[in-house]
Amino acid sequence: MTDKMTIKSTLSVLALLAATPALADCEKITFSDVGWTDITTTTSATKHVLEALGYDVKIKVLSVPVTFASLESDDVDVFLGNWMPAQNGAIGPYLDSGEIESVAVNLEGTKYTLAVPAYTYEKGLQSYADIAKFRDSLDGKIYGIEPGNEGNGYLVKLAEENTHGLAGFEVVESSEQGMLAQVARAYGKGEDVVFLGWEPHPMNANFDLKYLPGGEDFFGGEGVVHTVTRKGYAAECPNVGTFLGNLKFSLAMENQIMGEILDEGEDADDATEAWLKANPDAWASWLEGVTTLEGGDGLAAVRAALKL
């Protein structure tokens, strides 16, 4: 009887352990960074704080579609760059199935749609419906960002369906940096150019821009950015889940750090660390109810890591 009870007790303990997330599983956190400077900025700042709390943070550079597929397959834990409503079509099926969970809005007041220089706007290119009238001066091109991006896909669809008379326009897919280099060349010569623009981003300070109405069915008006995770992550790792729920960024924060990265050539980790040191009041709320990995005072640990 004793042996049977011992076996039964052992099995019960093993079952309990199997149902309880292991500390090592929560200690290691994998983020996706899709290569946009704003997401590089927020991911880097978040990494600094989590590492100060004792976590092992890994960052994978992936496209948006691969990011969502990786969250579904549990190869990525967290993504800080779910721009809505622009990514609704791409992420919607995953949210509907429950394979990806939205845990918080981390940024409000974003813009994301086609933009033109103010001088082009003043010539009359003031909406999507006006683009075709400028076909020759635009060389029949609309500049997008990285291949596979859902914003590019929307623009390609407009051209394929001749919406707004855009049949024949080429959507030039490039990196963020490649697209902006093309914009800078055109802007320096006073040439017309139309491209995917967004805020937060220092392009809004570097160029006098106008955002075009007409793409609201896809891009919406002002948008928000969500923090999303793989299924069940916040429940499995509640301390990190609380932290992710607390994360709130600002347009001013991101514009400042992104400017240092893009315009001054600052390393992203160095720029975000400097911002964290200079703005402790801006991120203290991130740590409300959050401990270190080992259960210590989270805020004190981060302040100590930053030598504050």
Side-chain angles (χ1 to χ4, degrees), residues 73-89:
S73 64
D74 297 345
D75 291 325
V76 166
D77 299 311
V78 185
F79 177 46
L80 300 178
N82 173 212
W83 279 61
M84 296 294 275
Q87 292 176 357
N88 188 57

Side-chain angles (χ1 to χ4, degrees), residues 17 20-27 237:
L17 289 173
T20 303
L23 181 62
D25 291 338
C26 290
E27 179 181 359
C237 302

Side-chain angles (χ1 to χ4, degrees), residues 29-84:
I29 310 171
T30 302
F31 284 77
S32 172
D33 175 359
V34 293
W36 306 339
T37 312
D38 60 311
I39 307 307
T40 298
T41 293
T42 55
T43 304
S44 174
T46 301
K47 182 183 81 167
H48 280 304
V49 175
L50 285 170
E51 287 182 340
L53 294 173
Y55 291 92
D56 179 5
V57 179
K58 180 178 180 181
I59 297 174
K60 294 183 177 181
V61 179
L62 307 169
S63 69
V64 171
V66 174
T67 293
F68 294 153
S70 297
L71 285 164
E72 180 188 35
S73 64
D74 297 345
D75 291 325
V76 166
D77 299 311
V78 185
F79 177 46
L80 300 178
N82 173 212
W83 279 61
M84 296 294 275

Side-chain angles (χ1 to χ4, degrees), residues 224-239:
V224 294
V225 182
H226 289 249
T227 298
V228 295
T229 70
R230 62 173 173 82
K231 181 180 180 179
Y233 180 72
E236 293 172 18
C237 302
N239 190 53

